[in-house]
Amino acid sequence: MRQTLTQLATALESKLKSKITATNIAFDELTIDIKAADVLSVCEILKSEFSFDQLIDVCGLDYAHYGKDEWQTNSATGTGFSRGFNAKTHGRGQSVKQVDGELKHPTRYAVAYHFLSINDNQRLRLKAWCAEDELPLIDSVVDLWPSANWFEREAFDLFGIVFQGHPDLRRLLTDYGFIGHPFRKDFPLTGNVEMRYDEDKGRVVYEPVSIEPRVLVPRVIRKESGAGNA
């Protein structure tokens, strides 16, 4: 008989004990948090003793500026197309430390693993928090689940998370000469360099970005300004 998420959480807490730093059940999904240093030992137990034999996905997470809005008005939200321009918020190339000061989460970067137990028809999300913000490190799980190979390369490419022990850790989606990691919250919206094909040189060349940073701010009608003014 399939156990409930609460029963699974209790069983995991009993087995892993102090290695679990947090447990959360939301939207019919169970998430357990651990430290990056424990990822291999915890994953080995999940696979051998809890039958999580299939790794569905591995993704990086950047919690810098998490939950913060760029623009707040009476009639517009702080996300999507209603965001306004503020040079000191994320996506503007600013240092995270300059903006945030102290982060509300254990560390800035984390790695999320999504598992499936085919035997028990059960799913689990494991979130491992990297200890260092300057150089986020975590052990590779490729030896346990070979499918992690490209997932870890993607997280390395986009977030700059280094998976120790990975057999071939190199960029996957961006060019090998790409500068920076585009999914980091402090990565400039226009990037660091642009590339084009130079006919005279017969090759692709990299140049400084020529695009001027620009963010469109929607027209918002405020009560204090009257119905016809923005």
Side-chain angles (χ1 to χ4, degrees):
M1 181 178 179
R2 178 185 177 185
Q3 59 185 341
T4 65
L5 293 179
T6 302
Q7 291 173 330
L8 176 60
T10 301
L12 290 171
E13 289 174 344
S14 176
K15 180 64 180 181
L16 300 175
K17 299 179 180 177
S18 61
K19 291 185 177 181
I20 295 181
T21 60
T23 303
N24 181 45
I25 297 178
F27 305 105
D28 295 324
E29 294 182 346
L30 171 62
T31 302
I32 61 173
D33 290 23
I34 64 171
K35 296 179 180 179
D38 296 322
V39 68
L40 280 182
S41 59
V42 169
C43 284
E44 288 174 353
I45 293 174
L46 292 179
K47 184 175 183 179
S48 62
E49 300 188 30
F50 288 88
S51 299
F52 286 105
D53 46 6
Q54 184 169 347
L55 176 65
I56 299 175
D57 188 26
V58 178
C59 56
L61 302 169
D62 182 359
Y63 279 89
H65 314 287
Y66 181 79
K68 289 190 175 183
D69 292 336
E70 289 188 288
W71 190 259
Q72 195 67 43
T73 69
N74 293 332
S75 59
T77 65
T79 58
F81 289 104
S82 59
R83 291 183 303 163
F85 177 78
N86 185 335
K88 292 185 178 180
T89 55
H90 61 272
R92 314 304 175 196
Q94 298 291 320
S95 168
V96 170
K97 290 185 177 180
Q98 288 178 320
V99 178
D100 271 350
E102 184 177 352
L103 299 174
K104 296 181 179 179
H105 295 83
T107 53
R108 175 178 172 180
Y109 297 103
V111 179
Y113 304 83
H114 295 84
F115 299 109
L116 170 65
S117 171
I118 299 176
N119 183 63
D120 299 327
N121 190 25
Q122 197 89 56
R123 296 177 184 271
L124 173 69
R125 179 189 295 110
L126 175 69
K127 189 185 298 181
W129 295 89
C130 300
E132 298 291 336
D133 290 347
E134 296 298 326
L135 181 61
L137 299 172
I138 192 168
D139 289 322
S140 172
V141 297
V142 170
D143 289 341
L144 292 172
W145 296 279
S147 61
N149 192 320
W150 278 29
F151 293 144
E152 291 180 351
R153 284 183 58 188
E154 181 182 38
F156 164 71
D157 189 1
L158 301 181
F159 289 93
I161 298 173
V162 177
F163 293 85
Q164 300 179 103
H166 190 284
D168 187 24
L169 192 62
R170 53 194 170 94
R171 291 189 180 272
L172 180 67
L173 299 177
T174 61
D175 186 67
Y176 295 146
F178 192 86
I179 299 175
H181 304 281
F183 276 17
R184 288 189 173 187
K185 295 294 181 63
D186 53 0
F187 185 81
L189 292 179
T190 56
N192 293 304
V193 296
E194 63 183 28
M195 57 186 294
R196 66 177 179 83
Y197 181 78
D198 190 299
E199 294 185 356
D200 295 333
K201 296 181 179 180
R203 61 180 176 84
V204 172
V205 296
Y206 291 87
E207 298 174 335
V209 177
S210 60
I211 302 174
E212 295 183 3
R214 183 170 65 97
V215 177
L216 296 178
V217 180
R219 182 174 183 269
V220 178
I221 299 175
R222 299 179 177 83
K223 295 180 181 178
E224 63 273 16
S225 301
N229 299 321

